[in-house]
C-alpha cells in the first residue's frame, strides 16, 4: 500500500505514512531500498526510483485509488499551510480520480506545478473549467507551462489573452510575467513588454515601492527589473532591485535568491566582480539549505547566474566545484537542463584557453539548446563554438557555426548578446573576414563603454588584443584599473606589460597569468617576451623563456592563436618589404637598385636575407607570396 500511495501522491511526510501504515511496514520497504527518507525539518518519504511512479499509478485501479486518496486526505488535509509539492500531488491525484477540485485550489496547484517545473501537471490543472474570475490567472499559468514544453507560439498567444482578460492586479501581474518569459526571445521584446507594462499601469495605477505596495505590484516590479537586466539597462535594474529588496514582502527565500542573482549579473557586467561573488556565495548558501529550496524554476537561473559570477571573477576552483553535480545537496541545481551546465563549463574553458575542453561541452550544449532554449542562450553557445573551432585551426567548422548564428531569428539578453557577438567577431577575423570582424569588435567595445559594462568590455578588449589590434591597449589599461575582481592583479600586470612591451614585464605578466589560471594569455605573453628578448640580443633570457613557452604550449594541444602567428612569423625590415613589393611588380634587381639609389649588391643582399627568413628559394615564390596577401596584412605580420 505504501508504494501505491507514494506513486500516487509523490513525496509525503514520514509521519503521514506512519499514520496510514505500520512501523514494521515502513521499515521493511526502507530496508528493501524501495523508498528513501529525505532529510529536513520534516522527514519525508519518496520512492527510491521516482521514474517508476507513472507506471505504478497506471496499474492502480480507480476504486482503490479513490479509497487511498480518502485515507491520505484524512491524515493530510490540504490546507493553505500544505507544501507546494503536497498541493500539486493531491490535486493531480484528486482529478485523476474524477473528483471535483475548488477553483482556488486549481489555481494554486497550477502555480506550484510551474514553480516545481512540472508542466504536464500544470497543463492538467489549467485545462479544467473555472469561474471567470480565475480564468485569466489560470491562462497565465498555462502560458508558462506551454513554454516549458517548448510550445512557444501557443504560450505567447495564451499570455496575451490572459492579460486581456485580467480584471484584477493579481491576475494581470501573473499575465505580465507570462508575457515576459514567453516573449523574451522575440526581436520586438522591448516593444511588447513596455506596451503591456504601460497598459498595466493605465488600468491599475502607477507601480512603485512604498509601505502599502501589494504583492501584485512587487511581482510587476520584478518583471521590470528582469526587463532592465535583459535590455542592459544596468542602473535602472540596480535601482529597482535594491528598492524591492528592502520591502518586507520580499523577505522570503525565493525572492531573496532571485533578486541577489539578478544583482550579481548586473555587478558582473559592470565590472564589480568581487561584489557579485559575495552575492553568489549568499545565493549558494540559500539554495543548498538542508531543508531544500522551494522553487526549482528560480533555483536553476539563480545558480547559473551565480556560477557566471565566479567565471567573470576567474575563480576557477570555485567554478569547477560548482559544476560538479555530485556535490549538490539540492538536486535541482545540476545545471543540466537545456545544456546550461555544459555552456558554463565551456565558457570557463574558453576564458582559460582550453579549447580541447570547451569544444565537446559546446557541441553538447548547442544540441540541447537547439531543442529547448527558453533563456535564449543558443547564440552564446554558437558564438563560443565558432571561436573555439577557429582557435583549434578548424576554419571551415568555425564558418559553419557563424552561418548558423547569422540565421538565428531571435534575441538574447543584452549581456549574452554582447559576449556572443564578440566571440563571433573574433572568429570572423581569424577565418579571413578581418576588416568586418575588427569593425564589429570595435563597435561592441564602444557600446560596452557607453553603457558602463566594463566587465563585458574586458572580454571584448581581450579578443581585440588576441586578433592583433594594439590600439586597444590604452583602454585595456583603463578597464583593468576600473574592475573590482579577485583577479585584478592579473588584469593589471597583463595590461601594463602589453603597454610597455618590455620583455621583463611581459615575462613577469606571463607568470602572473599562469598563477591565476589564464593559461592562454600566459603563453601569449611568454611568446611576446621571447620575441622581445630575441630582438634585444638577450640570448640567455630568450632561451629560458623559449623553454617555458614550449612547456606551456604542450599543455594546450592543437591551439592556434593569432598572437603566435604574428609573433612567430619571420619579420622583414621595411627596406626588405619595399624591395619585395617591387619584385612582385616585376621589377628586376638592376631597376630596383636604380630606383632606390643603392648598389646591385645591396639589393641582392636584402633578397638573400628575405629568402632565408621566409624559407623560399626564388623571386617567383616571393612575388607569389606578396601578391597573395594585402599589404596591410603583411605589415602587421612581418614588421618588427
Amino acid at each position: 500500500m505504501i508504494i501505491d500511495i507514494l506513486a500516487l501522491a509523490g513525496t509525503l511526510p514520514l509521519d503521514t505514512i506512519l499514520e496510514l501504515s505500520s512501523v514494521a511496514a515502513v521499515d521493511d520497504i526502507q530496508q528493501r531500498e524501495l523508498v528513501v527518507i529525505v532529510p529536513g525539518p520534516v522527514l519525508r518519504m519518496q520512492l527510491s526510483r521516482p521514474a517508476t511512479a507513472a507506471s505504478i499509478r497506471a496499474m492502480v485501479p480507480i476504486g482503490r485509488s479513490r479509497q487511498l486518496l480518502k485515507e491520505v486526505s484524512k491524515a493530510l488535509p490540504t490546507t493553505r499551510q500544505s507544501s507546494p509539492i503536497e498541493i500539486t500531488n493531491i490535486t493531480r491525484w484528486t482529478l485523476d480520480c474524477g473528483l471535483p477540485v475548488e477553483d482556488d485550489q486549481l489555481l494554486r496547484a497550477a502555480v506550484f506545478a510551474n514553480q516545481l517545473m512540472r508542466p504536464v501537471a500544470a497543463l492538467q490543472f489549467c485545462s479544467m473549467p473555472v469561474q471567470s474570475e480565475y480564468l485569466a490567472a489560470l491562462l497565465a499559468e498555462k502560458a508558462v507551462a506551454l513554454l516549458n514544453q517548448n510550445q512557444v507560439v501557443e504560450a505567447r498567444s495564451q499570455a496575451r489573452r490572459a492579460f486581456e482578460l485580467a480584471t484584477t492586479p493579481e491576475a494581470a501581474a501573473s499575465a505580465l510575467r507570462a508575457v515576459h518569459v514567453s516573449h523574451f526571445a522575440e526581436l520586438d521584446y522591448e516593444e511588447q513588454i513596455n506596451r503591456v507594462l504601460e497598459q498595466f499601469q493605465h488600468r491599475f495605477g502607477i507601480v512603485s515601492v512604498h509601505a502599502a505596495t501589494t504583492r501584485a505590484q512587487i511581482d510587476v516590479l520584478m518583471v521590470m527589473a528582469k526587463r532592465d537586466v535583459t535590455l542592459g539597462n544596468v542602473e535602472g535594474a540596480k535601482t529597482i532591485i535594491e528598492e524591492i529588496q528592502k520591502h518586507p514582502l520580499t523577505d522570503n527565500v525565493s525572492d531573496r535568491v532571485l533578486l541577489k542573482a539578478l544583482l550579481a549579473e548586473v555587478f558582473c557586467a559592470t565590472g564589480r566582480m568581487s561584489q557579485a561573488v559575495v552575492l553568489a556565495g549568499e545565493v549558494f548558501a540559500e539554495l543548498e539549505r538542508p531543508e531544500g529550496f522551494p522553487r526549482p524554476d528560480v533555483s536553476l537561473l539563480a545558480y547559473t547566474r551565480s556560477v557566471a559570477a565566479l567565471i567573470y571573477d576567474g575563480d576557477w576552483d570555485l567554478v569547477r566545484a560548482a559544476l560538479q553535480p555530485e556535490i549538490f545537496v539540492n538536486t535541482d541545481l545540476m545545471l543540466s537542463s537545456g545544456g546550461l551546465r555544459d555552456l558554463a563549463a565551456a565558457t570557463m574553458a574558453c576564458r582559460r584557453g582550453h579549447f580541447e575542453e570547451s569544444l565537446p561541452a559546446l557541441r553538447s550544449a548547442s544540441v540541447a539548446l537547439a531543442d529547448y532554449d527558453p533563456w535564449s542562450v543558443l547564440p552564446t553557445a554558437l558564438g563560443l563554438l565558432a571561436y573555439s573551432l577557429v582557435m583549434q585551426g578548424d576554419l571551415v567548422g568555425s564558418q559553419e557555426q557563424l552561418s548558423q548564428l547569422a540565421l538565428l531569428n531571435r534575441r538574447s539578453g543584452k549581456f549574452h548578446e554582447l559576449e556572443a557577438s564578440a566571440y563571433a567577431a573574433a572568429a570572423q577575423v581569424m577565418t579571413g573576414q578581418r576588416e568586418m570582424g575588427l569593425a564589429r569588435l570595435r563597435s561592441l567595445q564602444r557600446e560596452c563603454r557607453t553603457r558602463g559594462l566594463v566587465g563585458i568590455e574586458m572580454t571584448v578588449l581581450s579578443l581585440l588584443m588576441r586578433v592583433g589590434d594594439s590600439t586597444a591597449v590604452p583602454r585595456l589599461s583603463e578597464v583593468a584599473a576600473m574592475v573590482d575582481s579577485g583577479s585584478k592583479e592579473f588584469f593589471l600586470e597583463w595590461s601594463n606589460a602589453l603597454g610597455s612591451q618590455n620583455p621583463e614585464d611581459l615575462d613577469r605578466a606571463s607568470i602572473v597569468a599562469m598563477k591565476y589560471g589564464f593559461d592562454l594569455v600566459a603563453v601569449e605573453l611568454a611568446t611576446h617576451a621571447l620575441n622581445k628578448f630575441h630582438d634585444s640580443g638577450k640570448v640567455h633570457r630568450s632561451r629560458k623563456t623559449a623553454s617555458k613557452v614550449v612547456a606551456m604550449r604542450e599543455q594546450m594541444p592543437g591551439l592556434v592563436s593569432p598572437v603566435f602567428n604574428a609573433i612567430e612569423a619571420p619579420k622583414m625590415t621595411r627596406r626588405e618589404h619595399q624591395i619585395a613589393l617591387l619584385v612582385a611588380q616585376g621589377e628586376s634587381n638592376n631597376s630596383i637598385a636604380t630606383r632606390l639609389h643603392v648598389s646591385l649588391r645591396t639589393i641582392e643582399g636584402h633578397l638573400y636575407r628575405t629568402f632565408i627568413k621566409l624559407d623560399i628559394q626564388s623571386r617567383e615564390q616571393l612575388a607569389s607570396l606578396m601578391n597573395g596577401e594585402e599589404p596591410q596584412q603583411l605589415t602587421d605580420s612581418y614588421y618588427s
Side-chain angles (χ1 to χ4, degrees), residues 15 18 28 49 66 105 134 170 260 305 331 409 416 452 510 554 582 602 617 619 629:
D15 288 343
L18 289 170
D28 177 58
R49 297 179 60 193
R66 290 180 71 155
Q105 184 176 331
Y134 292 97
E170 291 75 19
K260 286 179 180 180
R305 289 183 170 114
T331 55
N409 190 32
H416 287 287
S510 170
E554 285 178 350
L582 292 172
T602 298
Q617 287 80 42
R619 293 168 57 87
E629 298 189 55

Side-chain angles (χ1 to χ4, degrees), residues 3-5 7-8 53-66 68 93:
I3 298 298
D4 288 347
I5 288 174
L8 291 161
S55 57
I56 296 173
R57 283 199 299 267
M59 293 187 291
V60 179
I62 188 65
R64 176 171 169 74
S65 179
R66 290 180 71 155
L68 290 173
W93 189 0

Side-chain angles (χ1 to χ4, degrees), residues 72 79 205 209 216 224 304 337 348 406 525 545 637:
V72 170
T79 66
V209 180
M224 294 169 67
T304 304
S337 179
M348 174 177 69
L525 286 167
T545 306
S637 298

Side-chain angles (χ1 to χ4, degrees), residues 96-144:
D96 287 348
C97 288
L99 298 172
V101 176
E102 295 293 327
D103 289 356
D104 63 339
Q105 184 176 331
L106 273 175
L107 178 56
R108 290 177 69 217
V111 170
F112 290 145
N114 277 329
Q115 291 176 356
L116 296 168
M117 299 186 75
R118 293 171 58 179
V120 174
L123 288 173
Q124 180 186 13
F125 306 147
C126 294
S127 68
M128 305 305 295
V130 293
Q131 296 179 36
S132 59
E133 62 184 288
Y134 292 97
L135 182 57
L138 212 57
L139 285 175
E141 297 305 321
K142 183 178 182 180
V144 175

Side-chain angles (χ1 to χ4, degrees), residues 36-221:
V36 293
I37 304 297
V38 181
V42 176
L43 291 178
R44 310 179 74 84
M45 178 177 280
Q46 67 181 31
L47 296 178
S48 57
R49 297 179 60 193
T52 63
S55 57
I56 296 173
R57 283 199 299 267
M59 293 187 291
V60 179
I62 188 65
R64 176 171 169 74
S65 179
R66 290 180 71 155
Q67 182 61 40
L68 290 173
L69 175 61
K70 185 184 296 185
E71 294 178 24
V72 170
S73 298
K74 288 178 184 177
L76 186 71
T78 304
T79 66
R80 301 293 300 185
Q81 285 70 46
S82 299
S83 74
I85 293 176
E86 290 164 358
I87 291 173
T88 302
N89 290 335
I90 297 298
T91 303
R92 177 195 51 73
W93 189 0
T94 303
L95 291 175
D96 287 348
C97 288
L99 298 172
V101 176
E102 295 293 327
D103 289 356
D104 63 339
Q105 184 176 331
L106 273 175
L107 178 56
R108 290 177 69 217
V111 170
F112 290 145
N114 277 329
Q115 291 176 356
L116 296 168
M117 299 186 75
R118 293 171 58 179
V120 174
L123 288 173
Q124 180 186 13
F125 306 147
C126 294
S127 68
M128 305 305 295
V130 293
Q131 296 179 36
S132 59
E133 62 184 288
Y134 292 97
L135 182 57
L138 212 57
L139 285 175
E141 297 305 321
K142 183 178 182 180
V144 175
L146 286 167
L147 182 69
N148 286 333
Q149 286 213 313
N150 218 20
Q151 300 180 51
V152 182
V153 175
E154 181 65 15
R156 290 169 183 158
S157 173
Q158 294 298 320
R160 289 192 296 266
R161 183 165 173 246
F163 189 78
E164 291 166 4
L165 294 175
T167 57
T168 65
E170 291 75 19
S174 296
L176 177 61
R177 175 178 173 271
V179 170
H180 162 70
V181 296
S182 61
H183 288 76
F184 181 84
E186 286 283 272
L187 296 178
D188 63 347
Y189 164 80
E190 183 175 6
E191 177 186 343
Q192 294 265 10
I193 196 67
N194 284 342
R195 182 168 64 246
V196 178
L197 278 165
E198 184 179 328
Q199 291 173 0
F200 181 96
Q201 298 195 84
H202 177 73
R203 288 158 60 182
F204 302 106
I206 300 298
V207 177
S208 61
V209 180
H210 48 78
T213 299
T214 65
R215 182 67 231 188
Q217 291 173 323
I218 290 291
D219 291 341
V220 173
L221 287 164

Side-chain angles (χ1 to χ4, degrees), residues 371-527:
D371 290 333
Y372 180 69
D373 182 25
W375 319 281
S376 197
V377 292
L378 177 58
T380 303
L382 293 178
L384 281 169
L385 184 51
Y387 173 70
S388 295
L389 285 166
V390 78
M391 289 298 289
Q392 287 276 287
D394 186 353
L395 274 65
V396 174
S398 179
Q399 288 168 337
E400 289 175 355
Q401 299 306 317
L402 290 173
S403 298
Q404 285 192 41
L405 180 58
L407 292 173
L408 285 182
N409 190 32
R410 69 178 78 174
R411 69 174 290 277
S412 291
K414 175 55 70 174
F415 305 150
H416 287 287
E417 175 197 320
L418 290 168
E419 290 221 342
S421 297
Y423 283 112
Q428 277 186 305
V429 174
M430 290 182 273
T431 55
Q433 304 173 65
R434 182 176 178 80
E435 294 308 317
M436 183 185 300
L438 276 176
R440 180 64 179 141
L441 277 170
R442 289 165 181 158
S443 173
L444 292 167
Q445 187 262 319
R446 288 192 297 271
E447 182 176 359
C448 288
R449 184 170 186 171
T450 300
R451 290 176 174 271
L453 305 178
V454 295
I456 300 174
E457 188 181 358
M458 177 64 79
T459 300
V460 180
L461 288 165
S462 70
L463 292 170
L464 278 167
M465 296 305 306
R466 183 151 296 134
V467 299
D469 186 356
S470 58
T471 62
V473 171
R475 180 58 183 169
L476 182 67
S477 297
E478 293 175 6
V479 170
M482 292 165 65
V483 296
D484 175 22
S485 168
S487 300
K488 186 170 183 120
E489 180 191 10
F490 155 69
F491 293 130
L492 289 173
E493 287 282 350
W494 176 35
S495 58
N496 291 338
L498 290 177
S500 74
Q501 287 296 298
N502 181 290
E504 283 82 7
D505 293 344
L506 291 164
D507 205 26
R508 183 172 58 253
S510 170
I511 295 169
V512 174
M514 186 63 72
K515 181 179 81 171
Y516 282 89
F518 290 90
D519 297 341
L520 176 55
V521 175
V523 72
E524 288 173 339
L525 286 167
T527 307

Side-chain angles (χ1 to χ4, degrees), residues 570-583:
K571 297 176 179 61
M572 287 188 284
T573 64
R574 293 186 180 277
R575 175 64 88 180
E576 288 167 350
H577 183 258
Q578 184 182 25
I579 293 169
L581 285 174
L582 292 172
V583 168

